[in-house]
C-alpha cells in the first residue's frame, strides 16, 4: 500500500473512539455552558452528547464518501484542501442537525434563535476541522509506524530466506547424488521434495496458514530423512488447534530444524519430534539432549522478532519433560481465517 493509502486507513475502532470522545466532551461542555447561562444542566448535557454523536456520524459518513468517491480521483496535492472542507462540513452539519433535533424535542433553549444556531454551527465547524486535523495526524503516524514495522518484519523474512542453510542444501544434494545409482525412484522423489521446499522458500508471503506451514515442515523432514533414514520420526498431535490460522512462514519449520540440528547426529539414537497444536499455541518438542534455559541464537531471536511484528506473538522455551519450544500467537494470527 502506498504512503497515501496508509494515510487514509481509518479503522472502525477509530470512529468508535471519536464518537465516545465527542459524546463525553460535548456533554461536559454543554452542561458547563448551561450552568453559566442558568439553564437546566441535564438538558445541556443531553444536547452536548447528542451534538457529539451527530458530528461523529457525519464525520464518518463524509469521510467514507470522501475516501472512496473523491480523493482516489484527485491529485494528492488537493487532498488537504478537500479533507479540510469535509472536516468543517461534518462539524457544521452535525451540530446544525443536532440543534434541530434538540429543539424538536424541547431541549434547545440554550441555543437561542436560528441565527445563533447558524453562527454556532460555523464555529463548531472550525473546531471540528482543527480536531479532525489532530485525529488525522494521529492516524497517519500510527499507520506509518505499523507500515514501518511490517516492512521491517518482511525485510527480515527476506533476509532469513536468503540465509537458507547452505549446509542443509549441500547435504541434501549429496544424499540425492548417492541415491541415483542405489534407488533412482527415491532419488527422483527427493528432488521433487527439495524443489517443493525451495518453491515455498521463494514465495513472497510473510504469513501462511498453519496447514501450509505443516506441509512445509513435512517436506523438510522428508528431505532430512534422505540422510538419516528412519532415525527421525515426526508426529503431529492436534489438541484444538486451528490449521486455518496464520503463522509466520518458516516459524514451526525453524523449530524442527533446530531440533534436528541439536537433537541428534549421524551416529546418535532415533530422534522423535512432536508438534502439538493448541488453540493459540504450537509446541515443538524433541527427544534429544535437554538444555536448561537455552540461549536464543540468531535463528530463534529472528523468529521471536518476526512473531512480535507479524502477529504479536512470542517464542519461548518450555521447562518440560522433553526439549520443548512454544510459539504463542497473538490476535493477528486469527484474522481473515
Amino acid at each position: 500500500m502506498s504512503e497515501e493509502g496508509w494515510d487514509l486507513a481509518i479503522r472502525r475502532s477509530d470512529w468508535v473512539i471519536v464518537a465516545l470522545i465527542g459524546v463525553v466532551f460535548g456533554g461536559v461542555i454543554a452542561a458547563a455552558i448551561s450552568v453559566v447561562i442558568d439553564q437546566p444542566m441535564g438538558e445541556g448535557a443531553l444536547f452536548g452528547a447528542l451534538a457529539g454523536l451527530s458530528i461523529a456520524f457525519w464525520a464518518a459518513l463524509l469521510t467514507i464518501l470522501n475516501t472512496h468517491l473523491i480523493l482516489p480521483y484527485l491529485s494528492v496535492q488537493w487532498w488537504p484542501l478537500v479533507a479540510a472542507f469535509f472536516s468543517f462540513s461534518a462539524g457544521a452539519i452535525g451540530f446544525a442537525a443536532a440543534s434541530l433535533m434538540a429543539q424538536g424535542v424541547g431541549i434547545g433553549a440554550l441555543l437561542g434563535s436560528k441565527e445563533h444556531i447558524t453562527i454556532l454551527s460555523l464555529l463548531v465547524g472550525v473546531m471540528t476541522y482543527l480536531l479532525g486535523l489532530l485525529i488525522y495526524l494521529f492516524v497517519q503516524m500510527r499507520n506509518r509506524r505499523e507500515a514501518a514495522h511490517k516492512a521491517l518484519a518482511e525485510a527480515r523474512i527476506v533476509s532469513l530466506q536468503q540465509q537458507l542453510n547452505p549446509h542443509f542444501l549441500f547435504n541434501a544434494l549429496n544424499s540425492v547424488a548417492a541415491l541415483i545409482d542405489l534407488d533412482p525412484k527415491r532419488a527422483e522423489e527427493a528432488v521433487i521434495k527439495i524443489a517443493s521446499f525451495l518453491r515455498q522458500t521463494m514465495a513472497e508471503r510473510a504469513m501462511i496458514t498453519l496447514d501450509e506451514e505443516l506441509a512445509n515442515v513435512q517436506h523438510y523432514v522428508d528431505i532430512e530423512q534422505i540422510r538419516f533414514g528412519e532415525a527421525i520420526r515426526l508426529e503431529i498431535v492436534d489438541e484444538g488447534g486451528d490449521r486455518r490460522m496464520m503463522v509466520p512462514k518458516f516459524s514451526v519449520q525453524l523449530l524442527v530444524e533446530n531440533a534436528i540440528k541439536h537433537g541428534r547426529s549421524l551416529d546418535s539414537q532415533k530422534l522423535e519430534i512432536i508438534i502439538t497444536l493448541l488453540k493459540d499455541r504450537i509446541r515443538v518438542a524433541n527427544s534429544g539432549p535437554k538444555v536448561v534455559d537455552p540461549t536464543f541464537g540468531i535463528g530463534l531471536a529472528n523468529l521471536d522478532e518476526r512473531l512480535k511484528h507479524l502477529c504479536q506473538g512470542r517464542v519461548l522455551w518450555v521447562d518440560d519433560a522433553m526439549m520443548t519450544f512454544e510459539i504463542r500467537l497473538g490476535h493477528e494470527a486469527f484474522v481473515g481465517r
Side-chain angles (χ1 to χ4, degrees), residues 31 34 39-47:
S34 299
Q39 294 290 338
M41 186 173 64
E43 288 189 11
L46 182 59
F47 168 72

Side-chain angles (χ1 to χ4, degrees), residues 186 221-233:
R186 191 178 173 201
V221 172
D222 289 344
I223 294 168
E224 287 290 61
Q225 285 176 337
I226 299 172
R227 284 196 299 149
F228 298 111
E230 299 301 320
I232 300 175
R233 178 177 175 271

Side-chain angles (χ1 to χ4, degrees), residues 196-197 210-220 222 236:
S196 177
F197 180 79
L210 176 57
D211 199 41
E212 290 174 312
E213 176 69 5
L214 292 176
N216 186 51
V217 168
Q218 187 64 63
H219 280 309
Y220 178 80
D222 289 344
I236 299 176

Side-chain angles (χ1 to χ4, degrees), residues 36-331:
V36 172
I37 64 175
D38 197 25
Q39 294 290 338
M41 186 173 64
E43 288 189 11
L46 182 59
F47 168 72
L50 178 64
L53 192 59
S54 177
I55 292 171
F57 167 78
W58 281 98
L61 178 62
L62 292 178
T63 299
I64 291 172
L65 293 175
N66 188 27
T67 302
H68 292 86
L69 300 179
I70 298 177
L71 293 186
Y73 303 99
L74 292 178
S75 174
V76 175
Q77 64 183 4
W78 294 103
W79 284 16
L81 181 61
V82 175
F85 172 75
F86 274 90
S87 295
F88 170 82
S89 299
I93 295 173
F95 185 84
S99 301
L100 294 176
M101 287 188 287
Q103 287 190 337
V105 295
I107 60 171
L110 63 89
L111 296 171
S113 65
K114 290 184 178 180
E115 181 180 348
H116 289 158
I117 292 176
T118 300
I119 295 174
L120 287 172
S121 296
L122 295 175
L123 290 175
V124 170
V126 174
M127 293 174 61
T128 305
Y129 160 70
L130 296 175
L131 179 61
L133 179 61
L134 292 176
I135 293 174
Y136 168 76
L137 293 174
F138 164 75
V139 171
Q140 182 188 58
M141 286 190 298
R142 182 201 62 195
N143 291 343
R144 287 181 175 177
R145 183 176 64 251
E146 291 181 356
H149 285 166
K150 184 177 180 181
L152 174 63
E154 291 179 347
R156 287 179 173 173
I157 290 171
V158 172
S159 176
L160 183 64
Q161 291 173 188
Q162 292 174 343
Q163 295 170 9
L164 179 64
N165 191 337
H167 295 292
F168 154 71
L169 192 56
F170 175 79
N171 290 329
L173 291 176
N174 272 343
S175 299
V176 170
L179 282 174
I180 291 175
D181 291 331
L182 298 174
D183 192 342
K185 180 64 176 177
R186 191 178 173 201
E188 180 183 355
E189 292 174 354
V191 170
I192 293 173
K193 288 176 180 177
I194 293 173
S196 177
F197 180 79
L198 293 178
R199 188 183 308 112
Q200 181 64 30
T201 300
M202 301 305 171
E204 295 182 357
R205 287 189 294 164
M207 301 277 283
I208 60 177
T209 65
L210 176 57
D211 199 41
E212 290 174 312
E213 176 69 5
L214 292 176
N216 186 51
V217 168
Q218 187 64 63
H219 280 309
Y220 178 80
V221 172
D222 289 344
I223 294 168
E224 287 290 61
Q225 285 176 337
I226 299 172
R227 284 196 299 149
F228 298 111
E230 299 301 320
I232 300 175
R233 178 177 175 271
L234 175 65
E235 180 182 1
I236 299 176
V237 180
D238 196 334
E239 294 186 1
D242 186 348
R243 296 193 181 213
R244 298 171 301 164
M245 66 183 175
M246 307 301 290
V247 298
K249 186 168 59 175
F250 296 134
S251 52
V252 182
Q253 185 269 336
L254 177 64
L255 296 183
V256 171
E257 179 182 351
N258 208 50
I260 295 174
K261 179 180 178 181
H262 299 287
R264 75 171 313 283
S265 60
L266 286 171
D267 57 350
S268 67
Q269 299 296 319
K270 289 187 177 181
L271 177 70
E272 183 178 22
I273 301 173
I274 302 174
I275 301 175
T276 305
L277 310 180
L278 302 167
K279 184 177 180 180
D280 58 353
R281 291 168 293 156
I282 304 167
R283 284 192 170 190
V284 179
N286 73 82
S287 59
K290 185 177 177 182
V291 179
V292 178
D293 196 12
T295 302
F296 278 26
I298 295 176
L300 289 175
N302 188 303
L303 173 59
D304 194 50
E305 286 296 313
R306 288 195 293 133
L307 284 164
K308 287 178 186 177
H309 289 305
L310 292 174
C311 61
Q312 298 181 3
R314 294 294 306 275
V315 58
L316 301 169
W317 170 74
V318 178
D319 189 6
D320 203 357
M322 300 176 71
M323 188 63 184
T324 305
F325 287 92
E326 182 175 275
I327 293 175
R328 296 184 182 176
L329 299 166
H331 71 278

